[in-house]
Structure formats: C-alpha cells, structure tokens
Amino acid sequence: MQLQYAISQSISQALKALFDISVDASQIALQPTRKEFAGSFTFVTFPYTKQVGKNPEQIGQALGEYLKEDAKEIRDFNVVKGFLNLEVEDAEWLALFRDLMQNPDFGKAEASGRNVMVEYSSPNTNKPLHLGHLRNNFLGYSVAEIMKANGHNVMKVNLVNDRGIHICKSMLAYGKQGNGETPESSGIKGDHLVGKYYVLFDKAYKEQVDELVAQGMEKEEAKKKAPLMLEAQDMLLKWEQGDEHVVNLWKMMNSWVYAGFDQTYRNIGVDFDKFYYESETYTLGKERVEEGLQKEVFFKKDNGSVWVDLTDEGLDEKLLLRADGTSVYITQDLGTAELKYNDFPYDQSVYVVADEQNYHFQVLKATLKKLGKPYAEGIYHLSYGMVDLPSGKMKSREGTVVDADELVQEMIDTARQQTEELGKIEGFTPEQAKELYHTLALGALKYFLLKVDPKKRMLFNPQESIDFRGNTGPFVQYTHARISAILRKAGELGIGVDVASFDSIVKLHDAEQEVIMQLVNYPAVVKEAGNLYAPSVIANYAYELAKAYNRFYQEISIFNETDEQARSFRIALSAMVARQIRQSMALLGIEVPERM
C-alpha cells in the first residue's frame, strides 16, 4: 500500500535525522495496530536499542514527535513499551478512498506474463464425487481465480482417472450383475450407477477374501488370489490390449459417469479449460520410461519391471512400469506432465491433490529432473488435508464416504429451513427463493471449506457453516444484501455518490476509517493469497471487511444524516464495500445475493 510505504519512508528519514541510522524504507515493517490502542499502524522499536543506546520507549517517543511534526501522513501517536502506534490523518484515508473508488480494477495486478496451470478435481470414473472432492474442486477453482487476479495467464485443467484396476472393478461387477441397467432405465445419475457396481464388487471381493482366509490362506495373499481380483487384473490387461468387448463396455460406463460429473460441476459452480484423460496419457508415459532406460537413468529388474533410483534425493527406488508391461500412476503422470507443458508452456504447474500424495509428487518432480525435463522445476503440489464430519451429522449412501451431491442437497435444504425461520424471503417468487437457497448453500459450503488453511485437516459442520452470524459465507452474503438494499434506497432518493459530492469532508468517524483501511488493504491481500496459494487469506479478508462494515452500520446513521456530503460519502463507502465483497467472494467462487 502506498500509504504504508510513505510512512516507512518518513520513519527511515526520522531514524537518520535523530539517530544517524540508515535503514531503507523497504526494510521497515509496519503492522496493523492492535484494536485496544489508538492508531492504524505500529512500528516496533526494540531492534534499534543497541544502535541508539536508548530504551524502546524513548526511541518510540522521539520518533513519534518527529513524525507528528514532519510527516504529513501522521496526525498523532502513542507509545506502548516498544511499540510506536501511529494515527493517520483523515485526509490521507480520504485520498486513498477516492483513488480506489475511481479504479474499477482495484486489487487486480498488472499482467505478469507468467503461465500458471492449475489441475484439480481429478476424479475416478468408478464412483461419484465425495466431500473430499468438494474441498479439492473449491480449492483448485479459487486458486486459479486468485492467480488470475495476480496477473498470471491461467489454465484450469482436470485429469480424469479413467483407466486402471479400480475402473475394471466396476466394469466387472456390471458385466456380472448389470442386466442391461442404464441411468435412464434405473433413474439413477450415471456416476452413482457406476459407483453402485463398484460397491457390489467390493462386497463380493471381501467375501471371497474372507473365504480364502477361513481356508488357511494369509490375508495379504488372499487379497491377491481372490478370483474377482484376478478377473479384474485380466480385464485391465485386455483393455490395454484393445479387446473390443472390454473397450466398448469401458466407453459406455465412462460416458454415464461423465454426464453425472458434468451435472455436479455445474451445480457446484466450477469449470475447466481442458480435460486430460489417463487413457490418453499413459502410453506417452511409457515412452518416457523407455527414454529413461535409454539414458540409463532408469533400470530394469530381473522380472522385467522398470524402476528409478531416487535415493540420492532422499527418496526410495520407485516402480515406473510393472513386469507385465502395465503402467502405474506415475507412468501416466510422466506423460501428462509433458502433454500439459506442450499445450501450455507453464512457468508453474499446480497440482491440487490431498496430502496423502505428498511423497508421490516429490517422486514425480525428481523423476522428471532425472529425465532433464525443463518443466520439472515448475511442478508445485498444493497439498490439502482431509475433511471430517461430526459423527452422526450425515450418512452417505454407502455409509462410509459422504457423497457430494447428497451433501449439496442437504445444504440447500438447511439453507431453506434457516432462511424461512429468519423470514428473509419476503416478496420472493418460488423461483427466486430456490435460487437464493442454492446461492446460500454453496456460499456456506465453499466458504467453510476455504476459510481454513489448505494444509490443515478440518471438521466440516453443515449446521454451523450456514449460520448468519460469525465467520461464515452467509454472514458475508447477508452483508452484501444489506448494502444492496441501502444502495437501492439511495437510488430511489436520488442521492449521488460521485467523488465531487463529498470533496469537502475533512473528518472521519473511527468506524469509517476502519472500513477504508480494510478496503485499501485488498491488493496486498490478493498478493498474499497468491504467494501462499491460500484462499483462506481471501475468505478471512471478506469476513473482516463485512465485520468492519457492520460496525459502521450499527454506529453511524446514513439516511438520517442531515449533512448531505456526509450522507453521500457513507453511501459511496457502502457501495465500495459491496464491490469489494463481490470481488473477494468471486475469487472463492461464491455468488452474493442482491437481496435477502
């Protein structure tokens, strides 16, 4: 922020003038003043005691007096131990407010020229999306939007896990028990229908394993020797060999799943610029494995399997190709990384994948470095923790994994119940009410999942997330709706909010100053969120801004104000808060209603 830098320059000059200490302004850190003390910014004096030969309070007092006299930005100061709290002139805040009001792109960085690819969702085509996928989708979408706001060229991609043993399990069960059932004939959404057969396979497979164990076989051996597992492995081999019957069954069942996924993606408001499919990337991955063998950076074991030795990097030996020639996850990841780079020569490729894959991505990056690939350094794993639910709050169809579609519907039902109880839908048509419930439900769900640092494991409480009070999406959404109502009333009264209509204001209320301070901090917040790949920074900013505005709304009259300039200013301030809430929530993929 320009104001902070100007104050840092003044402090730099003061240190030189008073104590003959040279400190560049860029090295002078200011932090927000704690709420219990007067001031906007705080400068810590402890680090200078040895150089100056005075105690922290004396240094703070001397600097404060100098700044109050010589720095036009500083109105007053107070010293608390080694903390110099600086109060900023109202004219400075007003000047900053006028600037941001006239800049519709406030908070958006200039073009950086950097290409950033963000890969997220990455579903398997053997089951529907679940709660963990929701955190993944919301994180990926939000990080991509934050990267755009930081001036980068962004491509959002989805790598679909459409091949492998897990896919064959659903196919095998359907072949045995499907009896020609389709999404149309059953009335079951395509991804749920295929997931049903995955569950049926798992149930029958476990029964076979238990039988073999009862016959005296070790459990690990039984898992490998169970007839269903052997059949699934045979089906995978046939698929890789292009067996017509197997490939046709695979295409049909995948098409059902894709239709189901598309419906879920539309419902939760995420999108992609490009889809990649593992069935199209694993062969290129095999070529990279062959390349590694030729370069002698990979090696073959006696059984014909191919490995890479990463012990020099503090990792282990890693299997790249099975003895029977079938690929493993890393095989196709080698191919996908190359395809992605060819399509979009990225400076950074962000993989949004759960923290259980931390080791996998270390291996991928190290393996690509072994191959000498120029895009290896750009790989970044945005690792996130699991999402838990309070016990008994919600049960899934299978009783183990929380289905995404079910969870979204439950959130919509909860939003309807809460909104009707609070009487916030007066005058809404049934269609408008339905749209509002969906907006609130997705706002509650996304905000709750995104306000937590991605790396942390978290507990999702559906009831708590949709509360209209506290650090929740609906609280921020309701603040926007409240401001929209104020702006509609101002329009009806013909009150203008252009800069010229309040240019003679010289004094601000504390609550007004706090709101402006939150507003002008937005670009720094967007930058920090981009540097940390953390939507939580944006979510908590939106909450703090909404909280500051609600304090302003409670303490200061708008329409009962007799001074026309003050009234126009407060309406303009409200309009800018609404704009900033819309922009920050959009970075989270959250819509805000105009009325509630």
Side-chain angles (χ1 to χ4, degrees):
M1 192 185 358
Q2 288 176 331
L3 175 59
Q4 279 179 266
Y5 188 69
I7 294 171
S8 294
Q9 283 182 311
S10 296
I11 293 172
S12 173
Q13 291 163 9
L15 287 168
K16 183 68 177 172
L18 295 172
F19 309 118
D20 197 27
I21 295 174
S22 297
V23 183
D24 190 84
S26 62
Q27 301 302 308
I28 290 175
L30 297 176
Q31 55 197 45
T33 302
R34 287 168 58 177
K35 293 278 191 286
E36 59 265 37
F37 303 115
S40 301
F41 300 107
T42 295
F43 176 66
V44 181
T45 61
F46 289 106
Y48 302 94
T49 51
K50 279 188 181 178
Q51 285 173 279
V52 173
K54 295 179 183 292
N55 67 38
E57 291 91 337
Q58 290 171 323
I59 297 170
Q61 189 66 34
L63 286 173
E65 288 170 2
Y66 180 98
L67 293 169
K68 185 176 178 180
E69 185 67 31
D70 290 283
K72 69 180 181 63
E73 301 88 8
I74 304 305
R75 179 179 68 201
D76 208 347
F77 72 96
N78 62 85
V79 179
V80 181
K81 296 183 178 176
F83 299 93
L84 169 60
N85 302 317
L86 300 168
E87 296 179 46
V88 175
E89 287 284 4
D90 287 346
E92 296 296 323
W93 291 120
L94 284 162
L96 287 168
F97 179 70
R98 288 189 184 96
D99 288 345
L100 77 89
M101 188 179 171
Q102 294 174 86
N103 180 4
D105 293 323
F106 184 74
K108 293 179 184 174
E110 292 182 5
S112 69
R114 281 176 63 80
N115 289 342
V116 179
M117 183 177 273
V118 184
E119 179 194 303
Y120 58 100
S121 198
S122 305
N124 295 329
T125 59
N126 63 325
K127 53 191 173 185
L129 304 179
H130 54 68
L131 175 57
H133 282 115
L134 289 179
R135 190 177 197 189
N136 181 304
N137 277 279
F138 299 154
L139 262 176
Y141 181 90
S142 181
V143 165
E145 294 303 307
I146 289 166
M147 290 299 169
K148 286 180 192 174
N150 276 282
H152 307 318
N153 303 315
V154 177
M155 190 173 191
K156 297 183 279 188
V157 302
N158 186 348
L159 173 64
V160 182
N161 303 305
D162 66 338
R163 62 163 298 284
I165 194 72
H166 50 297
I167 311 299
C168 291
K169 290 175 182 178
S170 295
M171 291 163 59
L172 189 65
Y174 180 80
K176 290 177 180 294
Q177 299 172 261
N179 298 317
E181 185 178 33
T182 66
E184 291 74 26
S185 69
S186 64
I188 300 174
K189 192 164 166 275
D191 50 336
H192 288 285
L193 181 62
V194 173
K196 169 183 146 182
Y197 286 97
Y198 184 71
V199 172
L200 287 174
F201 173 93
D202 198 51
K203 184 182 176 189
Y205 168 60
K206 282 175 179 171
E207 287 171 1
Q208 287 186 351
V209 170
D210 290 343
E211 274 180 43
L212 292 173
V213 170
Q215 291 167 19
M217 192 180 285
E218 290 291 325
K219 187 158 189 179
E220 286 309 308
E221 186 70 10
K223 286 179 179 178
K224 294 174 186 172
K225 294 289 176 65
L228 277 173
M229 180 57 74
L230 295 174
E231 281 189 77
Q233 287 170 344
D234 182 57
M235 181 176 269
L236 176 60
L237 207 54
K238 285 180 178 176
W239 180 88
E240 290 208 7
Q241 291 165 351
D243 179 281
E244 187 177 357
H245 171 73
V246 172
V247 169
N248 286 340
L249 176 62
W250 171 77
K251 285 180 178 176
M252 179 179 74
M253 293 181 73
N254 274 356
S255 71
W256 298 344
V257 174
Y258 297 147
F261 285 168
D262 286 347
Q263 192 178 328
T264 302
Y265 289 141
R266 283 196 302 275
N267 196 34
I268 65 174
V270 301
D271 59 9
F272 307 92
D273 299 311
K274 189 174 178 67
F275 285 81
Y276 291 93
Y277 300 90
E278 288 195 355
S279 58
E280 297 169 359
T281 67
Y282 83 102
T283 50
L284 181 58
K286 284 184 172 182
E287 289 176 22
R288 294 291 71 75
V289 173
E290 186 57 41
E291 179 190 335
L293 283 170
Q294 288 171 5
K295 289 182 174 179
E296 298 184 349
V297 292
F298 302 160
F299 66 95
K300 261 188 185 178
K301 290 196 175 179
D302 291 342
N303 65 357
S305 59
V306 182
W307 297 70
V308 60
D309 184 355
L310 300 172
T311 50
D312 288 351
E313 284 79 14
L315 305 168
D316 297 321
E317 291 183 349
K318 174 67 181 176
L319 173 70
L320 300 177
L321 208 60
R322 294 190 188 97
D324 63 3
T326 56
S327 60
V328 291
Y329 273 121
I330 195 110
T331 322
Q332 55 239 20
D333 280 349
L334 294 172
T336 307
E338 181 166 329
L339 271 181
K340 286 161 69 174
Y341 187 74
N342 291 342
D343 289 342
F344 187 69
Y346 52 74
D347 298 287
Q348 190 146 48
S349 181
V350 180
Y351 291 78
V352 183
V353 182
D355 55 13
E356 61 201 14
Q357 295 295 326
N358 287 351
Y359 183 78
H360 176 85
F361 282 98
Q362 290 175 354
V363 169
L364 176 62
K365 190 168 186 173
T367 305
L368 287 169
K369 280 185 184 177
K370 287 265 189 194
L371 286 168
K373 298 302 176 186
Y375 43 85
E377 279 299 336
I379 286 176
Y380 179 83
H381 176 206
L382 177 52
S383 170
Y384 64 91
M386 300 292 284
V387 185
D388 300 312
L389 281 162
S391 179
K393 280 282 180 187
M394 189 174 304
K395 289 189 171 66
S396 71
R397 190 176 284 110
E398 287 87 38
T400 51
V401 177
V402 179
D403 178 81
D405 294 324
E406 289 179 11
L407 177 56
V408 170
Q409 188 54 53
E410 172 136 342
M411 293 298 297
I412 291 169
D413 294 341
T414 306
R416 178 188 296 111
Q417 178 191 338
Q418 292 267 54
T419 311
E420 286 173 353
E421 282 176 8
L422 293 168
K424 294 185 185 295
I425 52 164
E426 201 172 318
F428 277 65
T429 65
E431 291 76 20
Q432 288 170 333
K434 185 179 178 183
E435 185 180 339
L436 177 64
Y437 302 144
H438 186 268
T439 299
L440 291 174
L442 266 295
L445 186 55
K446 290 182 181 183
Y447 188 91
F448 204 95
L449 293 178
L450 291 174
K451 74 177 181 178
V452 177
D453 184 294
K455 294 178 182 64
K456 291 181 180 175
R457 187 167 185 144
M458 66 173 296
L459 183 73
F460 174 65
N461 187 324
Q463 204 67 36
E464 185 185 324
S465 74
I466 211 152
D467 197 330
F468 284 86
R469 299 172 301 276
N471 190 2
T472 67
F475 169 74
V476 181
Q477 289 173 313
Y478 183 60
T479 302
H480 182 270
R482 167 179 274 171
I483 297 171
S484 297
I486 290 167
L487 299 178
R488 283 195 296 274
K489 184 175 179 181
E492 289 163 8
L493 295 173
I495 301 171
V497 293
D498 60 287
V499 176
S501 62
F502 56 84
D503 58 5
S504 66
I505 288 180
V506 292
K507 182 69 182 156
L508 289 173
H509 188 284
D510 284 349
E512 292 172 325
Q513 188 191 104
E514 186 185 352
V515 170
I516 295 174
M517 191 171 173
Q518 287 289 343
L519 288 171
V520 299
N521 198 36
Y522 182 61
V525 168
V526 172
K527 186 177 180 181
E528 182 187 359
N531 289 340
L532 299 176
Y533 305 89
S536 54
V537 173
I538 301 290
N540 288 299
Y541 169 80
Y543 171 62
E544 290 298 331
L545 176 59
K547 200 166 64 167
Y549 182 82
N550 279 283
R551 179 198 163 200
F552 156 81
Y553 181 81
Q554 296 297 328
E555 294 183 10
I556 302 172
S557 174
I558 296 177
F559 292 108
N560 291 332
E561 174 58 63
T562 54
D563 183 312
E564 285 187 19
Q565 293 241 337
R567 188 174 57 191
S568 290
F569 167 70
R570 288 167 192 169
I571 291 166
L573 188 64
S574 301
M576 290 305 98
V577 171
R579 184 181 82 177
Q580 221 77 328
I581 286 176
R582 274 195 307 277
Q583 288 180 351
S584 54
M585 293 292 266
L587 294 182
L588 304 176
I590 298 174
E591 295 179 354
V592 286
E594 294 292 320
R595 62 194 189 103
M596 282 167 66

